[in-house]
Amino acid sequence: MSPAKLPNFSGGVLAGGEGRRFGGLDKGWLEHAGRPFIEITLDHLRPLASELRISANRHLDRYGSLGVPVLRDRLGAGPLAGLLRLLETAATDWLLSLPCDALALPESLPERLFARQQATQADIVVLEDDDGVHPTVSLTRCALAPDLEQFLLSSERHSVKDWQSRHRTVRLRSDGVLANVNDPLALNRYAQTLACGSPAHG
Ligand SMILES: Nc1nc2c(ncn2[C@@H]2O[C@H](COP(=O)(O)OP(=O)(O)OP(=O)(O)O)[C@@H](O)[C@H]2O)c(=O)[nH]1
């Protein structure tokens, strides 16, 4: 699918986590190559999405200074809480979500997610690579927002995979690099592989 044929979609960056593996730092504001993670991640979506939003729970003014609406969680915990806010306020039928530490993405990811959705008529498409499934790198039908709200109200475990498994969810096998850096080791490894000229899985 060419960029010109992409359906309208909403781009959402999940940046509301506690960043425990980074010592509690706000991951969106960590830097790689002199740029905050949040800016690098937004750039993946900026040229293609019809609207962009950030889901965050601290440093709201700072996130707001990026010129993108910022949504604070209202219900639930973990990435699903952010996903709910992004889904229920989207002005489009589809949400493409990314974690705020998505420093590198497989090429043409939006086109490939939509192509997989159209081929399968799934409600959710999640990215999978050699490291496993990445539930927050996904395309989700926004009409699922009321179901997600019910799920958050009724379940104790707020696992993204558990919620996605209630719906027609398919995987998109990645044939490229996804660098989402969850801890300092992964960030160092990513920086080193870039310095050697060959980005590797993060
Ligand atoms: N809005 C929102 N986003 C969240 C929440 N928890 C995690 N996220 C985001 O979801 C994505 C995946 O989260 P994780 O990497 O599993 O968790 P994290 O809190 O960022 O990091 P750790 O504390 O080290 O596990 C990240 O981009 C987080 O910022 C939350 O409670 N609310």
Side-chain angles (χ1 to χ4, degrees):
M1 191 182 293
S2 70
K5 290 201 182 134
L6 268 177
N8 282 346
F9 72 93
S10 183
V13 179
L14 293 163
E18 294 180 21
R20 281 161 297 194
R21 285 166 286 176
F22 273 105
L25 293 174
D26 192 348
K27 223 171 0 181
W29 295 106
L30 295 176
E31 293 194 357
H32 168 66
R35 296 190 73 211
F37 285 12
I38 184 71
E39 286 187 7
I40 297 171
T41 303
L42 283 170
D43 281 353
H44 297 306
L45 299 167
R46 224 184 263 286
L48 302 170
S50 351
E51 63 172 0
L52 265 182
R53 279 90 47 70
I54 297 170
S55 158
N57 291 307
R58 50 183 163 153
H59 303 136
L60 301 182
D61 288 347
R62 196 170 176 201
Y63 281 112
S65 73
L66 297 170
V68 173
V70 183
L71 305 169
R72 190 177 202 146
D73 294 353
R74 69 169 179 86
L75 176 70
L80 277 183
L83 212 52
L84 174 63
R85 294 295 286 133
L86 293 168
L87 289 172
E88 70 186 356
T89 57
T92 65
D93 291 341
W94 291 97
L95 170 74
L96 200 169
S97 61
L98 294 176
C100 64
D101 55 3
L103 299 188
L105 289 183
E107 206 165 319
S108 307
L109 182 65
E111 290 85 347
R112 296 185 57 222
L113 286 168
F114 272 109
R116 182 94 174 103
Q117 190 284 322
Q118 285 182 2
T120 59
Q121 292 302 300
D123 292 317
I124 303 173
V125 185
V126 297
L127 190 72
E128 177 188 37
D129 64 11
D130 291 344
D131 295 329
V133 174
H134 299 272
T136 56
V137 182
S138 50
L139 185 66
T140 306
R141 203 185 284 282
C142 296
L144 297 182
D147 178 84
L148 176 53
E149 179 172 20
Q150 280 313 306
F151 178 82
L152 290 175
L153 286 169
S154 62
S155 97
E156 281 181 12
R157 277 193 69 217
H158 293 174
S159 144
V160 185
K161 283 184 186 167
D162 284 355
W163 178 68
Q164 289 175 336
S165 71
R166 292 156 51 99
H167 300 284
R168 283 179 297 171
T169 298
V170 297
R171 297 174 184 182
L172 171 69
R173 182 73 199 168
S174 169
D175 60 1
V177 173
L178 168 68
N180 69 314
V181 292
N182 283 313
D183 55 51
L185 199 66
L187 181 55
N188 281 339
R189 209 174 51 203
Y190 179 64
Q192 273 171 20
T193 52
L194 280 185
C196 296
S198 65
H201 288 264

